[in-house]
Amino acid sequence: MSARTPLHLAAEIGGPPHYDAGHYLRLARLAEGGALDFVTLGDSFARPGLDALAVLARIAPATDRIGLVPTVTTTHTEPFHVSSAVASLDWVSKGRAGWHAEVSTTEAEARLFGRRLAAPPAELWQEAGEVADVSARLWDSWEDDAEIRDTATGRFIDRDKLHYVDFEGSTFTVKGPAIVPRPPQGRPVTVIDAIGVPSREAAARHADVIHIRATTPEQAAALRDELRTKAAAHGRDPDALRVLVALTVDLGDVESAPEPGLESGPQLAGRGTYFRGGPVDLADLIAQWHRAGAVDGFHLTPITPERDLERIVNGTVALLQHRSLFRTFYPGGTLREHLGLVRPASRYATARAASASSKEV
């Protein structure tokens, strides 16, 4: 990876549950002030608090450029509803939505629904991959110009430009088409945490952004190469994949710690590598790893969001910007543009155009 490849930075704005959306809005605006690619908001059925997707839908109209990525659990939920909700977030944010696919592994969470028992991770991640697959198909099921809104004839849509997806997964079936028009990004950004072999396979097949855990740049580079190779084996362009190191960050009460760096720490929300140091130390680590070509960027989980996110933005990010290693403004308006990802064409529109061309020949 070239040292000139853009650096991507994202941050988690969760933590102890808050029941006031204004808390999350303040953090999202802070991150937006630093031109971060996106913020995530963690969620699970075992966690008390507001629904992450609903919170970010509330935040969307009150922000302008920051990407918004809620955690969405694919276990015990309906894929059609997941797809519709994420598409709606993309519309309300004008193209800044993503979703962080997660699974539910515990019996306690399964009992909340009473529909099925807890399943092994391999089965759950197979299902999660299928949810990501069918969601993309549903987002494609409306062609971009399917809405005609012809008041003279009373026609809202061109029915020839809506398509059934007829998807059959291991635990569900979806006929389609979607009930929400094609999202502004075409397909909202899919994020998957590649913490184990089952999730790694789903990530290589379906994710646009993958979070990894690594304690050295060499380990990060090896994982990134592995994921890019797997993506290519599935017929994907590996250059359309963004691999971010997930780092739980404790910037402490001082500007710099005596022994900054990566070290063993508590298993927090990020479940990843733990950094303890100062804003300058963190900037040095990010710059070193990125210049070495180990990663495309970092996803930072502040151990204390109200304190550490401010230090990340006004300390670490400001220093990276001063060194010309990170942008100072958003060149585009959508999350895909922030990440340097193209807007995908609808697979059904492409197939219909190809069929029409073959008939002309």
Side-chain angles (χ1 to χ4, degrees):
M1 181 175 68
S2 168
R4 296 183 180 179
T5 300
L7 171 65
H8 299 286
L9 296 175
E12 166 69 19
I13 59 171
H18 286 260
Y19 295 89
D20 172 18
H23 166 80
Y24 300 106
L25 176 57
R26 288 188 291 274
L27 294 174
R29 283 176 170 168
L30 176 60
E32 187 171 61
L36 271 63
D37 291 69
F38 61 90
V39 293
T40 57
L41 183 55
D43 202 357
S44 78
F45 296 132
R47 178 184 180 276
L50 301 174
D51 177 77
L53 199 150
V55 169
L56 294 186
R58 161 65 180 85
I59 288 174
T63 52
D64 297 314
R65 296 295 183 90
I66 189 79
L68 304 171
V69 181
T71 294
V72 180
T73 304
T74 60
T75 316
H76 310 303
T77 52
E78 294 292 340
F80 190 89
H81 298 163
V82 167
S83 171
S84 299
V86 176
S88 297
L89 179 60
D90 204 45
W91 276 107
V92 76
S93 66
K94 299 180 180 179
R96 294 182 286 124
W99 68 299
H100 177 198
E102 189 53 276
V103 300
S104 170
T105 60
T106 69
E107 287 291 352
E109 292 173 273
R111 285 195 296 270
L112 294 174
F113 296 86
R115 296 168 56 184
R116 57 192 278 196
L117 299 176
E123 293 181 19
L124 297 176
W125 279 109
Q126 178 184 345
E127 180 184 56
E130 292 169 350
V131 173
D133 188 357
V134 76
S135 293
R137 293 172 186 272
L138 285 165
W139 296 328
D140 284 355
S141 66
W142 287 53
E143 295 185 27
D144 288 319
D145 56 351
E147 291 182 75
I148 53 179
R149 304 191 181 208
D150 189 341
T151 56
T153 62
R155 296 175 66 214
F156 175 68
I157 57 173
D158 181 346
R159 295 185 65 180
D160 291 335
K161 295 183 179 181
L162 266 62
H163 305 275
Y164 294 112
V165 301
D166 291 322
F167 186 91
E168 185 171 344
S170 56
T171 60
F172 63 87
T173 59
V174 175
K175 187 173 183 61
I179 57 173
V180 179
R182 193 159 197 246
Q185 294 184 101
R187 299 171 200 159
V189 172
T190 298
V191 180
I192 294 181
D193 207 338
I195 57 175
V197 174
S199 62
R200 202 170 296 166
E201 184 65 24
R205 282 181 177 270
H206 304 290
D208 301 298
V209 176
I210 302 177
H211 295 166
I212 63 171
R213 304 297 188 271
T215 55
T216 65
E218 294 77 17
Q219 183 185 16
L223 285 170
R224 182 177 181 272
D225 290 344
E226 177 189 340
L227 289 164
R228 286 170 57 86
T229 299
K230 284 180 177 290
H234 293 305
R236 303 182 61 197
D237 177 4
D239 290 334
L241 197 63
R242 301 291 177 263
V243 180
L244 310 184
V245 169
L247 200 61
T248 299
V249 174
D250 179 2
L251 296 185
D253 296 318
V254 293
E255 194 65 23
S256 181
E259 296 181 359
L262 296 177
E263 58 190 48
S264 298
Q267 296 299 296
L268 302 171
R271 294 178 297 175
T273 312
Y274 179 71
F275 175 90
R276 183 181 180 186
V280 175
D281 306 318
L282 181 58
D284 290 343
L285 182 143
I286 290 172
Q288 177 191 351
W289 285 37
H290 187 253
R291 281 173 169 160
V295 292
D296 299 305
F298 286 77
H299 175 255
L300 306 174
T301 298
I303 193 170
T304 306
E306 296 86 344
R307 178 197 69 190
D308 292 329
L309 184 58
E310 188 277 332
R311 294 183 179 185
I312 288 170
V313 171
N314 296 326
T316 300
V317 173
L319 183 56
L320 292 169
Q321 291 169 334
H322 179 71
R323 296 176 182 176
S324 300
L325 297 177
F326 190 64
R327 60 169 172 253
T328 57
F329 64 94
Y330 292 102
T334 71
L335 179 52
R336 282 188 169 273
E337 288 173 328
H338 302 346
L339 293 166
L341 301 174
V342 300
R343 184 182 188 274
S346 164
R347 72 195 70 199
Y348 302 106
T350 302
R352 192 165 68 86
S355 176
S357 299
S358 65
K359 289 178 181 178
E360 290 177 1
V361 174

